[in-house]
Amino acid sequence: MSGTLVIAGLGPGDEGLVTPEVRAALDMATDIVGYIPYVARIAPRAGLTLHPSDNRVELDRARQALAMAAAGRRVVVVSSGDPGVFAMASAVFEALEAGPVEWRALEIRVLPGITAMLAAAAAAGAPLGHDFCAINLSDNLKPWALIEKRLRLAAEADFAMAFYNPRSASRPEGFARTLQVLREACDDARPVLFARAVSTAEQVLRIVPLTECRPEMADMRTLVIVGNSATRVIETPRGPILYTPRSA
Amino acid sequence: MSGTLVIAGLGPGDEGLVTPEVRAALDMATDIVGYIPYVARIAPRAGLTLHPSDNRVELDRARQALAMAAAGRRVVVVSSGDPGVFAMASAVFEALEAGPVEWRALEIRVLPGITAMLAAAAAAGAPLGHDFCAINLSDNLKPWALIEKRLRLAAEADFAMAFYNPRSASRPEGFARTLQVLREACDDARPVLFARAVSTAEQVLRIVPLTECRPEMADMRTLVIVGNSATRVIETPRGPILYTPRSA
């Protein structure tokens, strides 16, 4: 059993954000496993098999990757962003823990990537420049009550907040409720960043005061960052800069 | 005024984690500004001036960089990790906001990097696989009471937690108090990762139950990650894997 499993982060979209370490792993792979749009970022070549799969089959995909590695292949599971942040690394380890004990002898490596909140923050300034939290707003795998509890406590702690998966067609209500919780807990002028398709040709950034936020401003390609009570906007001829001071 | 200012993240140490975007900016620079050990990572070349400076002079360094860019230079301010996470980007924007209004016309870009918590999490498995927070434990710029409040609320929210700057020679007490707060709020077996000098040749990882954590396990080169209540350890022949399930 000399196969290997690498779980690699492709960053948010721009090829200039793919680390050399990840590039080298992709160049050595025999098999690439992942969600369809992420596998589509990998150029086909002789000796490489692509295994794209649909959304919401993360555990199946993880088992497939582990089984191929156990059969001696050099498998790379690709995630957008960083594989350890709301992505495939946890799914692979869930499958590993529940799977055949032989799988635990495999060489498994996680290669970090630029996660969406870091790319979005950089594009807008430095809104995550001091203490912050990251919350997945999808309630597919956890109860909404837990999300709401975390939102209230994060606001009380005065963390800046980054929201992943804020709103999808199948969950249109959650983000509206999120905005309601924030309005109860935060000042009206609190700046909110909507960063859509960050680092790609379609990137759109909007900075909006909390009172003017509407649920439709977010979709599944949007990363939302809410400033803390000290987060500021600097107006410049090139557009607004959003940042959180180091003393916040 | 055609100078430019780039604030770039060098990642945690491994050159394989420096993005191509950052590498290109370094190759185009006329001046590199930053803390001594980070500037030491940049190879000297003709046409490039290195401006290393000491710790705790972040605002002076930021003003120096802005002034050089305003004088027409192509300046890169380097940070370890990601420049937007407890690093130079916020200092530059503080200096920009307080400085001459002409500076606001400058082209300023922030280039993200692999921040220490992502590299540490990847090296250990996927402990930040679900909702988490990042807290700077240094009380140089904020009161200790605010740090302690955030720790208590983060534990109540059941966030995994990443701690930057956990302990220095000038602040030996803070991390001991942090462990005390966590012991009051979390179960005894809660796994804690001490990741020292992550991604470098001197990297050391330790996973320790909360009750066995001692303040001396951390120093300024250590990134500490505390699991949430669902974080698990998988024992394997290659060592323990720490991960947080996606439903946590």
Side-chain angles (χ1 to χ4, degrees), chain A residues 114-205:
Chain A
I114 302 293
T115 185
M117 70 178 167
L118 298 188
L128 304 180
H130 208 69
D131 301 339
F132 64 93
C133 64
I135 301 178
N136 183 348
L137 291 186
S138 167
D139 60 354
N140 284 340
L141 294 172
K142 68 183 165 188
W144 176 261
L146 179 59
I147 297 173
E148 193 163 320
K149 176 181 174 184
R150 284 181 177 153
L151 290 169
R152 289 188 195 283
L153 290 165
E156 188 180 345
D158 201 20
F159 282 123
M161 306 179 207
F163 299 145
Y164 286 72
N165 304 316
R167 189 161 177 271
S168 74
S170 61
R171 301 178 288 101
E173 291 310 309
F175 188 58
R177 291 161 76 177
T178 298
L179 290 175
Q180 189 54 42
V181 171
L182 293 174
R183 286 194 186 104
E184 290 165 17
C186 304
D187 49 302
D188 290 353
R190 185 70 58 96
V192 179
L193 168 68
F194 293 86
R196 187 167 193 279
V198 73
S199 90
T200 75
E202 297 92 54
Q203 174 177 303
V204 178
L205 304 181

Side-chain angles (χ1 to χ4, degrees), chain A residues 103-117:
Chain A
W103 284 357
R104 299 191 185 199
L106 278 169
E107 181 187 330
I108 302 177
R109 289 194 305 148
V110 181
L111 306 187
I114 302 293
T115 185
M117 70 178 167

Side-chain angles (χ1 to χ4, degrees), chain A residues 53-111:
Chain A
S53 49
D54 208 349
N55 211 351
R56 298 213 184 182
V57 294
E58 288 78 10
L59 274 183
D60 292 342
R61 183 188 298 147
R63 283 188 287 261
Q64 175 194 27
L66 285 158
M68 287 196 295
R73 311 286 293 175
R74 291 190 301 278
V75 181
V76 177
V77 174
V78 290
S79 278
S80 177
D82 181 279
V85 176
F86 311 125
M88 280 301 295
S90 284
V92 168
F93 295 128
E94 289 173 37
L96 178 73
E97 191 171 20
V101 71
E102 310 88 77
W103 284 357
R104 299 191 185 199
L106 278 169
E107 181 187 330
I108 302 177
R109 289 194 305 148
V110 181
L111 306 187

Side-chain angles (χ1 to χ4, degrees), chain A residues 16 18 20-21 84 90 94 97 104-106 128-132 134 136 142 150 157-158 232 237-238 243-244 246 248, chain B residues 16 18 20-21 84 90 94 97 105-106 128-132 134 136 142 150 157-158 232 237-238 243-244 246 248:
Chain A
V18 180
E21 179 182 70
S90 284
E94 289 173 37
E97 191 171 20
R104 299 191 185 199
L106 278 169
L128 304 180
H130 208 69
D131 301 339
F132 64 93
N136 183 348
K142 68 183 165 188
R150 284 181 177 153
D158 201 20
R232 303 179 59 76
R238 295 172 184 271
Y243 85 100
T244 303
R246 297 166 302 147
Chain B
V18 180
E21 179 182 71
S90 284
E94 289 172 38
E97 192 172 17
L106 279 169
L128 304 180
H130 208 68
D131 301 338
F132 64 92
N136 183 349
K142 66 183 165 187
R150 285 183 178 152
D158 201 19
R232 303 179 57 76
R238 295 172 184 270
Y243 85 100
T244 303
R246 296 165 302 145

Side-chain angles (χ1 to χ4, degrees), chain B residues 58-242:
Chain B
E58 288 78 10
L59 274 183
D60 291 342
R61 185 189 297 147
R63 284 188 286 260
Q64 176 194 26
L66 285 158
M68 286 195 296
R73 311 285 294 175
R74 291 190 302 277
V75 181
V76 178
V77 174
V78 291
S79 277
S80 178
D82 181 279
V85 176
F86 311 126
M88 279 302 295
S90 284
V92 169
F93 295 127
E94 289 172 38
L96 178 72
E97 192 172 17
V101 72
E102 310 88 76
W103 283 358
R104 299 190 184 199
L106 279 169
E107 181 188 330
I108 303 177
R109 290 193 305 147
V110 181
L111 306 186
I114 303 292
T115 184
M117 70 178 167
L118 298 187
L128 304 180
H130 208 68
D131 301 338
F132 64 92
C133 64
I135 301 177
N136 183 349
L137 292 186
S138 167
D139 60 355
N140 284 341
L141 293 172
K142 66 183 165 187
W144 176 260
L146 179 59
I147 298 173
E148 193 163 318
K149 176 181 174 184
R150 285 183 178 152
L151 290 169
R152 290 188 194 282
L153 290 166
E156 187 179 347
D158 201 19
F159 283 123
M161 305 179 209
F163 299 146
Y164 285 71
N165 304 317
R167 190 163 176 269
S168 74
S170 61
R171 299 178 290 103
E173 292 309 311
F175 189 57
R177 292 161 75 178
T178 298
L179 290 175
Q180 189 54 41
V181 171
L182 293 174
R183 286 196 186 100
E184 290 165 17
C186 305
D187 49 301
D188 290 354
R190 184 69 60 93
V192 179
L193 169 68
F194 294 85
R196 186 167 194 280
V198 74
S199 92
T200 75
E202 298 92 54
Q203 174 177 302
V204 178
L205 304 180
R206 271 170 105 163
I207 299 169
V208 184
L210 178 56
T211 43
E212 293 175 26
C213 290
R214 294 190 312 277
E216 312 79 62
M217 290 176 180
D219 65 11
M220 285 303 275
R221 294 190 72 193
T222 308
L223 190 290
V224 178
I225 293 179
V226 180
N228 81 355
S229 65
T231 301
R232 303 179 57 76
V233 178
I234 309 175
E235 296 296 344
T236 86
R238 295 172 184 270
I241 295 171
L242 183 70

